[in-house]
Amino acid sequence: MKSDDFVDAQELWYLVEMRCNLLTKLPSTINPLTKVQSLNLDFNFIDALPPAIGLMTSLRTLFLRTNSLTSLSNELDRLFRLRTLNLERNKLRELPFGLCAQLKELQVLDVLRNQLAELPDEPHTLIQCSTGYTGGDAPSPPCCCWCAKLPHSFQLPS
């Protein structure tokens, strides 16, 4: 198979599984994967997402569990079809402001077991999320203002 054939074949892929490898960054061949709907990069050593991730506008699920991410690419907000974003067990210290507002289809956000000190105070439409743990393997109850399906105009009382 020639290199050009590989790129052409990538346009047909809807699910890409690259979990449980030793990846430290996304391969450059990720750029033309515009039709992929599910990308699984769990259990690697990825510490940053390239701007090209924003070109994968058909993505509905993105799994990045157990990597080494310390921050998220601003290009994630271009993934307007994204419904599930799993970032469990990384090294995230913050989430970009506007992430949930930009990702209007996002229903599940898992940021369990990161280094988050706070969550952005922004409107959202999340149905489910995990934000922390109480010790052991039992997750803490998720923060209700991040987990209920709420209208964008919702405001918590002061």
Side-chain angles (χ1 to χ4, degrees), residues 95-140:
L95 295 176
F97 181 80
L99 180 68
C100 293
Q102 293 295 324
L103 302 177
K104 295 184 184 342
E105 297 289 320
L106 190 64
Q107 296 176 352
V108 177
L109 172 64
D110 190 340
V111 292
L112 190 69
R113 294 183 176 96
N114 274 279
Q115 299 171 7
L116 299 173
E118 62 184 14
L119 297 172
D121 182 21
E122 63 176 298
H124 55 81
T125 58
L126 293 176
I127 293 173
Q128 174 186 348
C129 73
S130 296
T131 57
Y133 66 98
T134 57
D137 290 328
S140 67

Side-chain angles (χ1 to χ4, degrees), residues 72-89:
L72 296 176
S73 170
N74 290 334
E75 303 301 321
L76 278 180
D77 64 6
R78 295 175 61 194
L79 304 179
F80 58 90
R81 290 188 176 104
L82 199 62
R83 292 184 180 172
T84 300
L85 178 57
N86 192 321
L87 299 163
E88 180 183 351
R89 292 183 187 238

Side-chain angles (χ1 to χ4, degrees), residues 13-155:
W13 296 356
Y14 292 99
L15 168 67
V16 174
E17 286 279 347
M18 290 190 276
R19 64 185 164 153
C20 300
N21 285 290
L22 301 173
L23 299 175
T24 57
K25 62 181 181 174
L26 290 179
S28 60
T29 54
I30 207 81
N31 296 356
L33 297 178
T34 58
K35 304 237 189 233
V36 170
Q37 294 180 12
S38 182
L39 178 59
N40 190 334
L41 295 162
D42 288 348
F43 305 101
N44 279 289
F45 297 93
I46 298 168
D47 59 6
L49 295 174
I53 194 80
L55 300 175
M56 300 180 73
T57 56
S58 294
L59 271 182
R60 294 178 187 268
T61 58
L62 178 56
F63 297 100
L64 289 157
R65 284 182 301 181
T66 314
N67 276 284
S68 300
L69 293 170
T70 56
S71 64
L72 296 176
S73 170
N74 290 334
E75 303 301 321
L76 278 180
D77 64 6
R78 295 175 61 194
L79 304 179
F80 58 90
R81 290 188 176 104
L82 199 62
R83 292 184 180 172
T84 300
L85 178 57
N86 192 321
L87 299 163
E88 180 183 351
R89 292 183 187 238
N90 277 281
K91 298 175 182 176
L92 296 172
R93 294 178 188 262
E94 64 182 7
L95 295 176
F97 181 80
L99 180 68
C100 293
Q102 293 295 324
L103 302 177
K104 295 184 184 342
E105 297 289 320
L106 190 64
Q107 296 176 352
V108 177
L109 172 64
D110 190 340
V111 292
L112 190 69
R113 294 183 176 96
N114 274 279
Q115 299 171 7
L116 299 173
E118 62 184 14
L119 297 172
D121 182 21
E122 63 176 298
H124 55 81
T125 58
L126 293 176
I127 293 173
Q128 174 186 348
C129 73
S130 296
T131 57
Y133 66 98
T134 57
D137 290 328
S140 67
C143 171
C144 64
C145 65
W146 267 75
C147 299
K149 188 169 178 82
L150 300 170
H152 283 289
S153 60
F154 179 80
Q155 297 268 333

